[in-house]
PDB file of all heavy atoms in Angstrom:
ATOM      1  N   ALA A 357      -7.151  21.355 -44.040  1.00  0.00           N
ATOM      2  CA  ALA A 357      -7.918  20.117 -43.938  1.00  0.00           C
ATOM      3  C   ALA A 357      -9.102  20.144 -44.892  1.00  0.00           C
ATOM      4  O   ALA A 357      -9.393  19.162 -45.584  1.00  0.00           O
ATOM      5  CB  ALA A 357      -8.401  19.922 -42.508  1.00  0.00           C
ATOM      6  N   ILE A 358      -9.759  21.292 -44.956  1.00  0.00           N
ATOM      7  CA  ILE A 358     -10.927  21.402 -45.829  1.00  0.00           C
ATOM      8  C   ILE A 358     -10.510  21.181 -47.276  1.00  0.00           C
ATOM      9  O   ILE A 358     -11.102  20.390 -48.017  1.00  0.00           O
ATOM     10  CB  ILE A 358     -11.583  22.789 -45.668  1.00  0.00           C
ATOM     11  CG1 ILE A 358     -12.078  22.987 -44.230  1.00  0.00           C
ATOM     12  CG2 ILE A 358     -12.730  22.954 -46.654  1.00  0.00           C
ATOM     13  CD1 ILE A 358     -12.362  24.435 -43.883  1.00  0.00           C
ATOM     14  N   LEU A 359      -9.420  21.886 -47.656  1.00  0.00           N
ATOM     15  CA  LEU A 359      -8.995  21.810 -49.053  1.00  0.00           C
ATOM     16  C   LEU A 359      -8.535  20.410 -49.427  1.00  0.00           C
ATOM     17  O   LEU A 359      -8.785  19.935 -50.526  1.00  0.00           O
ATOM     18  CB  LEU A 359      -7.874  22.819 -49.315  1.00  0.00           C
ATOM     19  CG  LEU A 359      -8.362  24.268 -49.341  1.00  0.00           C
ATOM     20  CD1 LEU A 359      -7.186  25.223 -49.421  1.00  0.00           C
ATOM     21  CD2 LEU A 359      -9.320  24.486 -50.512  1.00  0.00           C
ATOM     22  N   SER A 360      -7.886  19.715 -48.476  1.00  0.00           N
ATOM     23  CA  SER A 360      -7.346  18.407 -48.854  1.00  0.00           C
ATOM     24  C   SER A 360      -8.391  17.301 -48.745  1.00  0.00           C
ATOM     25  O   SER A 360      -8.257  16.269 -49.378  1.00  0.00           O
ATOM     26  CB  SER A 360      -6.123  18.072 -48.003  1.00  0.00           C
ATOM     27  OG  SER A 360      -6.534  17.785 -46.682  1.00  0.00           O
ATOM     28  N   MET A 361      -9.435  17.501 -47.973  1.00  0.00           N
ATOM     29  CA  MET A 361     -10.362  16.387 -47.734  1.00  0.00           C
ATOM     30  C   MET A 361     -11.737  16.541 -48.353  1.00  0.00           C
ATOM     31  O   MET A 361     -12.385  15.543 -48.667  1.00  0.00           O
ATOM     32  CB  MET A 361     -10.532  16.162 -46.230  1.00  0.00           C
ATOM     33  CG  MET A 361      -9.260  15.688 -45.547  1.00  0.00           C
ATOM     34  SD  MET A 361      -9.464  15.692 -43.764  1.00  0.00           S
ATOM     35  CE  MET A 361     -10.299  14.133 -43.533  1.00  0.00           C
ATOM     36  N   ALA A 362     -12.215  17.743 -48.508  1.00  0.00           N
ATOM     37  CA  ALA A 362     -13.625  17.931 -48.860  1.00  0.00           C
ATOM     38  C   ALA A 362     -13.940  17.472 -50.280  1.00  0.00           C
ATOM     39  O   ALA A 362     -13.247  17.821 -51.234  1.00  0.00           O
ATOM     40  CB  ALA A 362     -14.007  19.395 -48.694  1.00  0.00           C
ATOM     41  N   ASP A 363     -14.978  16.649 -50.412  1.00  0.00           N
ATOM     42  CA  ASP A 363     -15.517  16.343 -51.727  1.00  0.00           C
ATOM     43  C   ASP A 363     -16.639  17.317 -52.057  1.00  0.00           C
ATOM     44  O   ASP A 363     -16.962  17.562 -53.205  1.00  0.00           O
ATOM     45  CB  ASP A 363     -16.049  14.918 -51.768  1.00  0.00           C
ATOM     46  CG  ASP A 363     -14.933  13.908 -51.547  1.00  0.00           C
ATOM     47  OD1 ASP A 363     -14.014  13.871 -52.389  1.00  0.00           O
ATOM     48  OD2 ASP A 363     -14.957  13.211 -50.523  1.00  0.00           O
ATOM     49  N   ARG A 364     -17.277  17.816 -51.009  1.00  0.00           N
ATOM     50  CA  ARG A 364     -18.306  18.842 -51.143  1.00  0.00           C
ATOM     51  C   ARG A 364     -18.165  19.762 -49.952  1.00  0.00           C
ATOM     52  O   ARG A 364     -17.668  19.363 -48.918  1.00  0.00           O
ATOM     53  CB  ARG A 364     -19.712  18.266 -50.996  1.00  0.00           C
ATOM     54  CG  ARG A 364     -20.146  17.375 -52.028  1.00  0.00           C
ATOM     55  CD  ARG A 364     -21.330  16.541 -51.594  1.00  0.00           C
ATOM     56  NE  ARG A 364     -21.599  15.677 -52.708  1.00  0.00           N
ATOM     57  CZ  ARG A 364     -22.332  16.063 -53.738  1.00  0.00           C
ATOM     58  NH1 ARG A 364     -22.938  17.226 -53.747  1.00  0.00           N
ATOM     59  NH2 ARG A 364     -22.500  15.258 -54.756  1.00  0.00           N
ATOM     60  N   ALA A 365     -18.696  20.962 -50.107  1.00  0.00           N
ATOM     61  CA  ALA A 365     -18.694  21.888 -48.979  1.00  0.00           C
ATOM     62  C   ALA A 365     -20.008  22.644 -48.968  1.00  0.00           C
ATOM     63  O   ALA A 365     -20.520  23.024 -50.014  1.00  0.00           O
ATOM     64  CB  ALA A 365     -17.526  22.863 -49.096  1.00  0.00           C
ATOM     65  N   VAL A 366     -20.559  22.791 -47.782  1.00  0.00           N
ATOM     66  CA  VAL A 366     -21.788  23.559 -47.619  1.00  0.00           C
ATOM     67  C   VAL A 366     -21.482  24.674 -46.627  1.00  0.00           C
ATOM     68  O   VAL A 366     -20.962  24.419 -45.542  1.00  0.00           O
ATOM     69  CB  VAL A 366     -22.925  22.673 -47.052  1.00  0.00           C
ATOM     70  CG1 VAL A 366     -24.188  23.494 -46.833  1.00  0.00           C
ATOM     71  CG2 VAL A 366     -23.190  21.498 -47.972  1.00  0.00           C
ATOM     72  N   PHE A 367     -21.779  25.909 -47.047  1.00  0.00           N
ATOM     73  CA  PHE A 367     -21.522  27.032 -46.155  1.00  0.00           C
ATOM     74  C   PHE A 367     -22.782  27.415 -45.394  1.00  0.00           C
ATOM     75  O   PHE A 367     -23.841  27.592 -45.987  1.00  0.00           O
ATOM     76  CB  PHE A 367     -21.036  28.250 -46.959  1.00  0.00           C
ATOM     77  CG  PHE A 367     -19.626  28.107 -47.413  1.00  0.00           C
ATOM     78  CD1 PHE A 367     -19.349  27.563 -48.659  1.00  0.00           C
ATOM     79  CD2 PHE A 367     -18.583  28.487 -46.589  1.00  0.00           C
ATOM     80  CE1 PHE A 367     -18.030  27.408 -49.080  1.00  0.00           C
ATOM     81  CE2 PHE A 367     -17.270  28.336 -46.997  1.00  0.00           C
ATOM     82  CZ  PHE A 367     -16.990  27.790 -48.257  1.00  0.00           C
ATOM     83  N   LEU A 368     -22.635  27.527 -44.088  1.00  0.00           N
ATOM     84  CA  LEU A 368     -23.747  27.982 -43.251  1.00  0.00           C
ATOM     85  C   LEU A 368     -23.464  29.402 -42.792  1.00  0.00           C
ATOM     86  O   LEU A 368     -22.319  29.766 -42.534  1.00  0.00           O
ATOM     87  CB  LEU A 368     -23.887  27.111 -41.997  1.00  0.00           C
ATOM     88  CG  LEU A 368     -24.266  25.645 -42.144  1.00  0.00           C
ATOM     89  CD1 LEU A 368     -24.548  25.069 -40.764  1.00  0.00           C
ATOM     90  CD2 LEU A 368     -25.467  25.488 -43.033  1.00  0.00           C
ATOM     91  N   ASP A 369     -24.529  30.161 -42.672  1.00  0.00           N
ATOM     92  CA  ASP A 369     -24.390  31.513 -42.149  1.00  0.00           C
ATOM     93  C   ASP A 369     -25.686  31.881 -41.445  1.00  0.00           C
ATOM     94  O   ASP A 369     -26.759  31.759 -42.032  1.00  0.00           O
ATOM     95  CB  ASP A 369     -24.108  32.483 -43.312  1.00  0.00           C
ATOM     96  CG  ASP A 369     -23.839  33.892 -42.797  1.00  0.00           C
ATOM     97  OD1 ASP A 369     -23.431  34.027 -41.617  1.00  0.00           O
ATOM     98  OD2 ASP A 369     -24.051  34.839 -43.561  1.00  0.00           O
TER      99      ASP A 369
END
Side-chain angles (χ1 to χ4, degrees):
Chain A
I358 298 163
L359 288 173
S360 71
M361 294 171 82
D363 297 297
R364 293 162 182 276
V366 178
F367 285 92
L368 295 189
D369 185 24

